[in-house]
Amino acid sequence: MTRSLYVTTPIYYPNDVPHIGHGYTTVAADFLARYHRLRGDDVLFLTGTDEHGQKIQRTAQESGTDPKTFVDEMEPRWREVWERLEISYDDYIRTTEPRHAAAVTKLLTAVYENGRDDIYLGTYEGLYCVSCEAYYTEDELVDGLCPIHHRPVERMTEENYFFRLSAYEDRLLELYETEPERVQPEVRRNEVVSLIKQGLRDFSISRTSFDWGVPIPWDPKHITYVWFDALTNYITAAGYGTDEEKFARYWPALHLIGKDIIRFHAVYWPAMLMAGGVEPPREVFAHGFLTVGGQKMSKTNATGIHPFELIDHFGADAYRYYFMREIQFGQDGSFSWESMVERYNADLANGLGNLASRVLAMLDSYFGGEIPEADPRAAADRLPDVASHVLGRFIDHMDGLELSGALAAVWELVGEANKYLVEREPWALSKEPARREELASVLYASAETLRILAILIQPIMPTAAERLWEQLGFSHTILEAGLGSASWGGIEPGTKIRRGESLFPRLDA
Ligand code: MSP
């Protein structure tokens, strides 16, 4: 049975510079999307940019341009990162697209007209800078002054539309009580539940102080304000308001986000959807934060590492592998260059890379570059059992979003296969003509393990996986083979291997 998976990342602010923290969420989503495609699932994977709002309008003005030109210039800096990281998104949303305005309009109207007064006109009070014509929050101020004009701000009030979030406390609590899997991991769910129990305040969803956004349909001098606009991107791309058939096929989604925006995704968003008569997200999974040298990444303290700095040195495959393997998905983790070199050398160069080059070289030398005729299980020792056990655990971990655990399981097979070579010593067997059959069996089992490994690493290291696959002599793709072909005995004797360059050359610290 084909299952569908709709997986999303947050949409990023185009005026920010992408760093490895943003890369972290997007790589995780890609790993998951590719895994599901390999299983044959019907996947829709979405990422994009969050292009509306006062901040963008203001920054554009400061640089002497209009907001649309500004975001058009900025947005490609995100896509170029995703391209180099081999992010296989199916759709890329920019909130400035007409389809998004259509969805925001539809959702606002549905909520406004739900008969419960869930959107109402109220008074917003905030700190206003007359020169910026914009509101600031207390912590955006510098020494109590406007961060741009360095002049005092005024307490001002303005008429805004509000969303009646306070009416959704009971419904949200009931949702998370009966379907706890909707917010993961558990620590985040507890946080969300206690937040709701403390009482929810209605929030403002419109502004009249700027115009860069989607107008409120029944009162267009009001512009839809940040989160109502941004969150709606997830249903826009699934077809809400433009393609109901698609929407039925993919919604509800799995949202991968950083823990910083859990409140918006697990409190505001499901309430907005309930108010509009739409099912809440299937699951919100909030991962932890990446730190560099123990510090939160930021532009100002030089800890905001651009993904290119690492991709240039390690390659996209190793980049993807390192972050997904090193940090438990859901927990905070720290990045360091040293730990990346160490893991690269241990797991990739010495582990998988070495296994592949040894086995392929021996197939070349002892069998003229062909997979030898052998009984698949003779002399294979524990390998077939370990492979099948690892496959099962890989699937369980991936389905439970234990991304690091899934990779750890795969590397048990790498370790086992390297150990097998040491124990069976094919290089010694090759010197004893009477043991040719045993040699053939050992190399058959080793090549077969490599084949299974190529399939299992495809979602995390798509290029290295295909290269290994090609070296093993296959001409179709791993995706065409599918995860179902990862059971023992699939490689055909007589297959011509095509030894190539080493997959992961060793790096110096
Ligand atoms: N535009 C909003 C999100 C709207 S979603 C409807 C936004 N954008 S952002 O550009 O600031 O990106 C936030 C996301 O980037 C975080 O939720 C997280 O997924 C990722 N990360 C940003 N810094 C991070 C770390 N230091 N570590 C891990 N992930 C981080 O908020």
Side-chain angles (χ1 to χ4, degrees):
M1 190 186 75
T2 312
R3 304 175 306 175
S4 79
L5 173 79
Y6 178 27
V7 60
T8 68
T9 73
I11 46 173
Y12 303 100
Y13 294 125
N15 51 326
D16 286 349
V17 181
H19 60 55
I20 56 175
H22 306 116
Y24 183 73
T25 317
T26 310
V27 166
D30 190 65
F31 182 19
L32 200 66
R34 286 180 186 268
Y35 160 74
H36 278 275
R37 290 191 197 110
L38 196 59
R39 291 189 62 156
D41 295 342
D42 176 16
V43 174
L44 176 61
F45 168 22
L46 176 74
T47 189
T49 34
D50 188 355
E51 305 189 347
H52 279 144
Q54 192 173 19
K55 202 170 156 195
I56 300 261
Q57 185 165 10
R58 207 191 296 152
T59 321
Q61 260 161 14
E62 279 160 23
S63 53
T65 178
D66 65 287
K68 180 70 170 94
T69 313
F70 178 71
V71 293
D72 284 351
E73 274 166 18
M74 293 293 151
E75 173 279 321
R77 296 193 307 183
W78 289 82
R79 268 198 240 222
E80 67 180 10
V81 174
W82 305 147
E83 210 161 291
R84 284 207 50 205
L85 280 174
E86 302 196 50
I87 304 303
S88 60
Y89 54 79
D90 299 293
D91 194 357
Y92 185 97
I93 187 161
R94 300 181 57 186
T95 50
T96 45
E97 292 171 65
R99 60 173 173 162
H100 184 58
V104 172
T105 304
K106 177 167 170 167
L107 182 63
L108 279 168
T109 309
V111 178
Y112 192 55
E113 291 176 354
N114 73 4
R116 297 192 296 269
D117 257 348
D118 276 343
I119 293 180
Y120 62 92
L121 210 49
T123 309
Y124 173 83
E125 195 186 303
L127 303 167
Y128 192 78
C129 169
V130 191
S131 304
C132 298
E133 296 180 28
Y135 285 97
Y136 284 98
T137 60
E138 212 66 75
D139 43 305
E140 281 173 332
L141 301 179
V142 178
D143 300 327
L145 303 174
C146 162
I148 292 166
H149 299 92
H150 313 293
R151 49 181 288 177
V153 290
E154 293 164 32
R155 195 158 278 283
M156 286 252 297
T157 55
E158 132 178 3
E159 219 177 32
N160 284 177
Y161 284 99
F162 280 76
F163 173 66
R164 202 179 296 284
L165 183 64
S166 56
Y168 287 85
E169 285 168 15
D170 293 345
R171 261 168 285 184
L172 287 170
L173 286 175
E174 193 195 323
L175 177 71
Y176 295 145
E177 182 121 336
T178 52
E179 296 171 67
E181 68 283 355
R182 296 234 191 203
V183 183
Q184 297 285 1
E186 197 184 340
V187 18
R188 298 291 159 239
R189 180 169 63 254
N190 293 341
E191 190 183 306
V192 164
V193 166
S194 96
L195 211 96
I196 303 169
K197 284 185 175 159
Q198 285 163 34
L200 298 176
R201 282 181 27 197
D202 299 348
F203 65 94
S204 156
I205 61 162
S206 79
R207 285 288 189 277
T208 50
S209 48
F210 66 93
D211 61 7
W212 183 236
V214 181
I216 299 281
W218 59 90
D219 191 355
K221 70 174 184 297
H222 284 263
I223 298 297
T224 310
Y225 196 53
V226 285
W227 285 99
F228 207 102
D229 177 311
L231 288 161
T232 304
N233 91 85
Y234 299 130
I235 54 175
T236 301
Y240 182 77
T242 51
D243 185 346
E244 294 308 317
E245 203 179 306
K246 181 177 180 188
F247 191 63
R249 181 165 150 201
Y250 291 113
W251 190 258
L254 161 61
H255 299 313
L256 301 187
I257 56 165
K259 64 180 184 179
D260 54 329
I261 51 179
I262 183 88
R263 163 203 294 261
F264 304 109
H265 283 79
V267 181
Y268 287 29
W269 180 226
M272 284 160 56
L273 289 168
M274 286 173 183
V278 180
E279 193 184 340
R282 185 184 111 187
E283 180 175 341
V284 174
F285 188 103
H287 62 68
F289 251 50
L290 273 183
T291 54
V292 175
Q295 278 185 303
K296 216 184 138 183
M297 240 173 301
S298 95
K299 280 174 260 181
T300 46
N301 62 8
T303 47
I305 300 173
H306 192 283
F308 286 173
E309 292 177 46
L310 301 183
I311 303 169
D312 287 344
H313 192 77
F314 295 94
D317 283 315
Y319 178 114
R320 296 164 55 101
Y321 174 76
Y322 167 76
F323 285 105
M324 292 301 111
R325 175 66 187 89
E326 186 75 16
I327 300 162
Q328 286 235 15
F329 202 54
Q331 294 181 8
D332 292 343
S334 71
F335 163 81
S336 82
W337 188 271
E338 294 72 28
S339 80
M340 193 161 176
V341 172
E342 210 169 286
R343 195 170 273 289
Y344 175 96
N345 280 335
D347 295 7
L348 301 182
N350 299 343
L352 179 59
N354 190 35
L355 175 70
S357 56
R358 279 157 103 190
V359 172
L360 291 161
M362 287 190 281
L363 285 167
D364 253 358
S365 321
Y366 310 148
F367 292 97
E370 259 181 36
I371 303 295
E373 200 68 56
D375 171 352
R377 286 182 181 261
D381 296 355
R382 286 163 25 88
L383 282 178
D385 290 340
V386 176
S388 111
H389 189 65
V390 160
L391 173 64
R393 282 177 42 223
F394 176 73
I395 292 174
D396 287 347
H397 283 306
M398 288 305 290
D399 290 348
L401 291 183
E402 293 155 357
L403 306 182
S404 174
L407 296 173
V410 175
W411 258 257
E412 277 172 35
L413 182 56
V414 173
E416 196 68 37
N418 270 321
K419 202 164 97 197
Y420 172 75
L421 287 182
V422 172
E423 284 168 8
R424 306 299 297 230
E425 297 188 306
W427 44 89
L429 293 177
S430 76
K431 297 190 182 97
E432 295 180 55
R435 297 174 77 186
R436 180 97 181 142
E437 209 172 298
E438 189 184 342
L439 175 66
S441 297
V442 169
L443 285 182
Y444 179 93
S446 303
E448 175 57 5
T449 307
L450 280 180
R451 185 190 69 87
I452 292 171
L453 284 169
I455 300 171
L456 296 182
I457 63 166
Q458 188 268 359
I460 189 67
M461 297 194 283
T463 302
E466 289 295 350
R467 277 180 60 209
L468 175 56
W469 190 250
E470 252 177 65
Q471 295 191 6
L472 286 168
F474 296 107
S475 45
H476 60 314
T477 64
I478 297 177
L479 191 60
E480 282 159 0
L483 193 62
S485 65
S487 51
W488 193 263
I491 201 160
E492 291 289 329
T495 307
K496 268 284 204 203
I497 63 152
R498 290 188 291 257
R499 239 176 108 198
E501 284 185 11
S502 125
L503 294 174
F504 305 103
R506 251 194 94 82
L507 291 174
D508 292 329

